[in-house]
Amino acid sequence: MHEANAKAAEAIFNSRNKGKGDRYMDFHGLRKQEALEILELKMAALAGKGGDVELIPGAGNHSQGDAVLKPAVIDYLKKNGLEYELKNAGEILVHL
């Protein structure tokens, strides 16, 4: 089941981000762990390349209760010492 969920998450991510390049990542439709796994892989591929990366974890408007993805993404960025700024309620700009 985990493999099927991973393939579904990858398909959702690829559909949302088609044609937007590797410096744009929209995580809408993904669960927290799925989003973090993709984020980790994509950020590792960009390590040392400089420039900015646009992350769209959303503002949590579709979450039941508090936002889930945005705090998790911010936590990941902090733990990895990445500089970032909040562009708006659902968008984060990471400076590599």
Side-chain angles (χ1 to χ4, degrees):
M1 184 65 141
H2 178 70
E3 185 177 333
N5 287 345
K7 286 183 180 183
E10 184 178 357
I12 291 167
F13 180 83
N14 289 339
S15 175
R16 281 224 174 254
N17 294 282
K18 185 177 182 179
K20 296 184 179 169
D22 60 351
R23 293 180 176 268
Y24 179 91
M25 299 177 216
D26 185 338
F27 298 108
H28 282 95
L30 300 177
R31 294 183 172 149
K32 178 176 138 180
Q33 192 57 41
E34 296 165 344
L36 291 176
E37 287 173 8
I38 291 172
L39 176 62
E40 189 172 354
L41 287 172
K42 300 290 185 182
M43 293 302 283
L46 293 171
K49 294 187 176 180
D52 292 334
V53 179
E54 191 175 0
L55 305 179
I56 314 294
N61 295 331
H62 303 287
S63 297
Q64 293 179 341
D66 294 332
V68 175
L69 289 180
K70 184 178 175 184
V73 168
I74 290 172
D75 187 53
Y76 169 87
L77 297 173
K78 287 179 179 178
K79 285 181 179 176
N80 287 279
L82 295 167
E83 183 182 331
Y84 68 92
E85 62 181 281
L86 302 177
K87 290 194 70 175
N88 59 47
E91 184 177 352
I92 301 168
L93 188 65
V94 181
H95 306 293
L96 299 178

